[in-house]
Amino acid sequence: MLLPTDLLGEWVLRRHVTDRLAGVDGTVTGTTTLTGTGPDEVRWDETGTMVFDGRTVPVSRTLFVRRGPGTGLGWTVHFADGRVFHDWVWGRSVGHACSPDEYTGVLAGDVDHWTVRWEAHGPAKDYALHSELRRRSHPAD
């Protein structure tokens, strides 16, 4: 199992978005940076460009991955405002309830290439996100 601290550094981000309700596919290309902000916290920043439904827009988000109290290895992903997003579980399904929709995700891969896959289903959403992250090998990637 990889921990968020195993993935520190800069990553080339490529995300494919399939919105089944709208019948539209899109992409996000950019950079993901994981930075240790302390022994129990990793900052996860994404910046890039989304091309979706004929529009091109800049996108960004910040998450925090925090280790729980005590000596256990339990890490949790949080939105920038502090709300819990999901447990950090490597290679197995995780969930995020966002009523009335349900999200299911999987983080998998290794220290040079990893993926984040999300499916959202419910009355308001029906989409898939597939993100591929490759370690940036040099500034010109």
Side-chain angles (χ1 to χ4, degrees):
M1 173 174 154
L2 290 180
L3 300 176
T5 50
D6 297 326
L7 301 173
L8 297 179
E10 193 169 302
W11 300 84
V12 176
L13 167 66
R14 302 213 187 285
R15 177 174 296 140
H16 184 81
V17 180
T18 302
D19 184 334
R20 292 180 283 262
L21 284 179
V24 178
D25 285 353
T27 60
V28 174
T29 56
T31 301
T32 296
T33 305
L34 275 68
T35 307
T37 57
D40 298 323
E41 183 177 84
V42 171
R43 183 181 171 119
W44 175 339
D45 290 299
E46 293 181 353
T47 59
T49 302
M50 180 180 347
V51 178
F52 192 76
D53 198 21
R55 296 184 307 268
T56 301
V57 296
V59 293
S60 65
R61 75 171 176 173
T62 298
L63 302 169
F64 290 92
V65 189
R66 296 183 176 118
R67 185 179 358 220
T71 59
L73 295 178
W75 292 79
T76 305
V77 180
H78 297 258
F79 293 106
D81 66 6
R83 290 176 298 132
V84 172
F85 185 9
H86 62 85
D87 289 338
W88 179 274
V89 178
W90 202 257
R92 292 192 334 258
S93 181
V94 296
H96 172 71
C98 188
S99 186
D101 303 303
E102 294 287 329
Y103 294 75
T104 304
V106 176
L107 294 94
D110 59 44
V111 296
D112 293 315
H113 173 240
W114 52 293
T115 60
V116 180
R117 295 176 187 257
W118 282 100
E119 289 277 339
H121 299 284
K125 296 179 180 144
D126 186 7
Y127 67 78
L129 302 174
H130 177 215
S131 303
E132 288 199 43
L133 298 109
R134 293 193 182 275
R135 190 171 293 280
R136 186 173 296 284
S137 57
H138 54 82
D141 272 356

